[in-house]
Amino acid sequence: MPELSVRQAGIPLAATMAAAARARALRAQGRNIISLTLGEPEFATPLHAVAAAHAAAQRGETKYPAVGGTPALKAAIQAKFLRDSGLEFAPDEILVGNGARQIIFDALIATLDDGDEVIVPAPYWNAYPLIARMAGARPVFVDCDEADDFLPAPAAIRAAITPRTKWVVLNFPNNPTGAVCPAAHLQAIAVVLREAPQVWVMSDDMYEHLIHDGSRNATLAAVAPDLRHRVLTISGVSKTYAMTGWRVGFAGGPRVLIDAMAKVQGQSTGGVSPIAQAAAEAALLGKQDNVPQMRAAYAARSARAAASLGRIPGLTCHKPEGAFYLYPGLRGLLGRTTPSGKMIDTDLAFCDALLEDAGVALVHGAAFGKSPYARISTAASDDAIDEACARIATFCAGLHG
Ligand code: PLP
């Protein structure tokens, strides 16, 4: 049997995908399962974006695209960065990738050598450490406390920085906690970053438009313009415009980094489908009225779910300020036993038992680097969320010990 690489062996199947697949498998067996595992908006892509894709295909925009993005989409991204964050980028300071995930992959592969370190505040979206490991680097986690609203303490980032540190990753609004970082807190982090000139900073702003109270997202490059020559600001259309399947993400950053990232991308996928790029352009420049509608829906669901989970004895529920996730704490439930005799000793055991006994699929906190918690995606219908909360309450009430 030919052998697989050592590099891939260190990469587990993403827990989110695994949890979603388990839910699907049980559903296929006829079980009534509510899956709140994926960060996948259930809303439809705006029709004007779909129409723009159709028109692009009919115009014959079906050839190999330039690796970095079509001039038209880059212009739309320039306008978007200026409108939403006050950031100015030249076209050659922008890269379009097959989703923000590819942008992150490009950035880490383009910069990391064996033994380098990437500072990732925990809890985190698990792509950062997994891709860092693929690049031969070592993720270094900075634990964020629920009592600090899941924000990384500047002093903890300072303590984690070594001469091998190549990146600090920031992601607000955060997946999985929904934490939003105030500008003053980013300023305090910027003070630490100024002391470490060898460090790139990734600001993953994927959920920038999904701040529940509608306020503008604070982003590092705008808050600390003197750091712009080493900040990569990432966003995309997947979450803001319910366009996960179109695979368009982008970043603005220093030219030297963008050029290196484009080289990496050129040897993996090349440019993004011009049809999808036309759709993204229309989404960024067209009517924005679907955005406040989705934001309001996520905010209302999240408040309702946080309130009902907060009433469950043993469970704590930090109120998220953005994105579409809740990250309830399970410490008060550890050590208890289900009526069928399953011991809840970890967040994974909780999620496994909840799925088997109550038909609700969540992702356990260890998958995001902080236990004992579980992530609940509110990118689901109101009815599904209400029913899931009711089932979780009944499940928890049935635990003993
Ligand atoms: N960044 C964060 C924080 C995410 O949660 C996700 C998706 O879940 C992405 C980036 C990637 O988005 P996409 O590749 O769909 O653009």
Side-chain angles (χ1 to χ4, degrees), residues 173 180 207-217 295 321-323:
V180 169
Y207 298 91
E208 61 181 319
H209 290 292
L210 301 180
I211 296 184
H212 296 335
D213 68 4
S215 59
R216 181 170 159 129
N217 184 49
R295 180 195 301 132
E321 292 175 87

Side-chain angles (χ1 to χ4, degrees), residues 99-101 104 125 128 171 175 204 206-207 238-239 247-248:
R101 189 191 291 269
I104 295 164
W125 182 49
Y128 314 120
N171 166 225
N175 174 6
D204 180 346
M206 270 311 282
Y207 298 91
S238 287
K239 316 288 178 174
R247 308 311 302 131
V248 183

Side-chain angles (χ1 to χ4, degrees), residues 372-398:
Y373 288 87
R375 188 188 77 171
I376 301 181
S377 168
T378 56
S381 72
D382 291 349
D383 288 350
I385 291 167
D386 287 348
E387 171 66 16
C389 289
R391 290 188 193 185
I392 294 170
T394 307
F395 174 80
C396 293

